[in-house]
Amino acid sequence: MATETLSLWRDAERCYRVVTARDPRFDGQFIMAVRTTGIYCRPSCPASTPKVQNVRFFPTSAAAQANGFRACRRCLPDAVPGSPDWNVRADLAARAMRLISDGTVEREGVPGLARRLGYSERQLGRVLTAELGAGPLALARAHRAHSARLLIEMSELPLTDVAFAAGFSSVRQFNETIREVFATTPSQLRAFAASRRGRQSDVTGTRLSLRLPFRPPFDASGLLRFFAAHAVPGVEEVTSETYARTLRLAHGTGVVRLTPQRDHVRCELMLTDLRDLGSAVSRVRRLLDLDADPAAVTRVLGADPALAPVVAAVPGIRVPGAVNGEELLLRALLSEVPLGEEVPGEWGVTRLFPAAAQIATAGHPVAAALAEGRLDVHVGRDAAELRAELLACVDPSTADYVVMRVLGAPDVLLADDAEVRRGAEALGISPDSLGERARAWTPWCSYAGRYLRRAATGPLG
């Protein structure tokens, strides 16, 4: 169950068993730090397992860094799927983490983060320190360090440019952070990465090619079919193997092409401003639901006799997320999407999804509310509060759909959706009993809905 993972890092005995087994399913769910070496690692680190009396466990990399530990260069503990807790949990700490990973602190500072969450800076700092072992500045620093490592290793940018693109306020701060977190200088980190990469490089100008990890299994074909069925021409291009789309980001625009592989998703990015790298990667991960824990979903949904056949037939199903809350809401309401701004063409996509202000000129009331700031749809919103605001503009089914996809909410069952109801009938479940049936599917009702939709499409397999 979801609640079992919320304080996993506090259960030292269980964490040590995971480390001993080198179980990669727990990578990203907690951090192991070794007192004798001063290094922190992912649970599946291939190095020799340290003695139990020499290890400490932390909920985040930032907490380990705040306690004086540096990142392992062998297992790269930051290059793992994120914790599924940030979607399962709807509390302040989880909402803050989603905004921090989207780059809010770099763009708006801690005051901006606190304002978006509706708390004072002092309250926010106290809660994050208690829950995650580090305050907002330390969490944002860890996020910057990870973005900087990607740029150092995957681009040919001058290191001075890397510093500011990653969100550091000065080159000195950048150099000190890299030395503290990775126990090496930026130039040495780049040289080490080049030696591992050899002569092959996927980097040209502002084009970056990254590996986005996930917890297997991963139903990539199901996601590609979903994106193909809902694609906006010019904004998105879908093939049997890839998904490409444009991105509207804080400092500029971007184009991304995603190609699922056996153990990762290849993410090719073209950005007009590299300060948007961390935000772009975070949004793409949410879009593909890459931080999901499929084993936890299977344990609950596979226990239902009616759902069990489709759960077994389609392992690792994902709930599609969103790269932009405003866009998703408007897509749910518009029968026809007007043409957005043109961007340099790449991978078959040439336009941005139109901004709310553009759509508002045609007299669309929800677009006007978005453009004027009366309605704010972002990943840091409280689910209940966002749904209440949406209900002033849209019907309950649309509100639930937006909450599920924008916030990555795992426990939303779209019981009135026609395909969900057809899928329920196909599995012998009365559509009118879905509300009651959902109690046994908590906290994974969103995934149950995806399985029901899959059952509605025809024979399994």
Side-chain angles (χ1 to χ4, degrees), residues 251-328:
H251 301 289
T253 63
V255 181
V256 63
R257 182 169 65 174
L258 302 166
T259 308
Q261 306 288 332
R262 182 182 62 82
D263 60 353
H264 68 278
V265 174
R266 185 183 182 196
C267 172
E268 298 167 89
L269 270 172
M270 291 285 290
L271 300 172
T272 59
D273 193 319
L274 283 174
R275 288 179 295 175
D276 288 320
L277 172 64
S279 177
V281 170
S282 175
R283 295 181 187 201
V284 167
R285 293 193 64 84
R286 289 199 301 272
L287 177 69
L288 301 183
D289 195 16
L290 293 184
D291 294 331
D293 184 353
V297 174
T298 298
R299 276 197 303 272
V300 174
L301 302 186
D304 185 308
L307 275 183
V310 68
V311 172
V314 190
I317 209 165
R318 294 305 203 263
V319 177
V323 297
N324 183 285
E326 176 183 290
E327 174 189 313
L328 182 74

Side-chain angles (χ1 to χ4, degrees), residues 136-429:
L137 284 176
L139 291 163
R141 176 180 180 267
H143 178 256
R144 284 195 298 272
H146 176 57
S147 296
R149 185 183 64 78
L150 290 177
L151 289 170
I152 291 168
E153 296 184 348
M154 301 301 298
S155 82
E156 304 299 332
L157 274 181
L159 293 176
T160 299
D161 293 344
V162 168
F164 295 108
F168 291 95
S169 59
S170 69
V171 174
R172 179 179 178 180
Q173 183 191 56
F174 163 68
N175 288 330
E176 289 176 349
T177 298
I178 296 301
R179 279 196 296 268
E180 290 173 8
V181 173
F182 301 110
T184 188
T185 65
S187 57
Q188 289 170 335
L189 194 58
R190 174 164 282 177
F192 179 67
S195 67
R196 286 185 302 172
R197 193 169 58 227
R199 295 186 178 183
Q200 296 182 345
S201 175
D202 291 325
V203 182
T204 305
T206 55
R207 185 194 298 254
L208 301 171
S209 181
L210 312 174
R211 293 165 59 98
L212 305 182
F214 54 75
R215 295 179 182 87
F218 178 61
D219 178 33
S221 60
L223 280 175
L224 289 173
R225 285 195 299 270
F226 178 89
F227 293 140
H230 298 83
V232 176
V235 177
E236 298 165 293
E237 180 71 23
V238 190
T239 72
S240 61
E241 297 181 346
T242 66
Y243 170 72
R245 67 154 297 146
T246 54
L247 300 170
R248 185 186 297 275
L249 300 163
H251 301 289
T253 63
V255 181
V256 63
R257 182 169 65 174
L258 302 166
T259 308
Q261 306 288 332
R262 182 182 62 82
D263 60 353
H264 68 278
V265 174
R266 185 183 182 196
C267 172
E268 298 167 89
L269 270 172
M270 291 285 290
L271 300 172
T272 59
D273 193 319
L274 283 174
R275 288 179 295 175
D276 288 320
L277 172 64
S279 177
V281 170
S282 175
R283 295 181 187 201
V284 167
R285 293 193 64 84
R286 289 199 301 272
L287 177 69
L288 301 183
D289 195 16
L290 293 184
D291 294 331
D293 184 353
V297 174
T298 298
R299 276 197 303 272
V300 174
L301 302 186
D304 185 308
L307 275 183
V310 68
V311 172
V314 190
I317 209 165
R318 294 305 203 263
V319 177
V323 297
N324 183 285
E326 176 183 290
E327 174 189 313
L328 182 74
L329 174 57
L330 292 173
R331 288 176 73 142
L333 298 176
L334 295 172
S335 57
E336 186 174 336
V337 177
L339 293 177
E341 307 161 50
E342 285 194 43
V343 295
E346 187 78 22
W347 302 312
V349 293
T350 58
R351 293 184 180 276
L352 295 172
F353 189 87
Q358 176 186 340
I359 297 173
T361 59
H364 196 287
V366 177
L370 290 167
E372 295 166 11
R374 290 182 283 112
L375 179 61
D376 196 7
V377 184
H378 63 73
V379 295
R381 293 299 307 272
D382 174 79
E385 291 179 0
L386 176 59
R387 187 178 188 275
E389 286 187 19
L390 289 169
L391 287 176
C393 310
V394 301
D395 62 81
S397 295
T398 302
D400 288 338
Y401 177 77
V402 171
V403 167
M404 180 182 73
R405 291 194 59 190
V406 172
L407 302 186
D411 204 27
V412 177
L413 182 64
L414 305 178
D416 293 328
D417 180 88
E419 274 197 76
V420 168
R421 296 177 71 84
R422 281 200 302 273
E425 289 182 332
L427 295 178
I429 300 172

Side-chain angles (χ1 to χ4, degrees), residues 59-66 78 86 92-103 105-106 110 113 117 124-125 127-147:
T60 60
S61 295
Q65 293 168 21
D78 298 308
W86 308 143
L92 175 60
R95 291 160 52 209
M97 281 299 294
R98 293 198 291 265
L99 285 174
I100 289 169
S101 68
D102 194 51
V105 174
E106 281 76 16
V110 175
L113 176 67
L117 294 167
L124 177 61
V127 170
L128 293 184
T129 300
E131 289 285 322
L132 306 177
L137 284 176
L139 291 163
R141 176 180 180 267
H143 178 256
R144 284 195 298 272
H146 176 57
S147 296

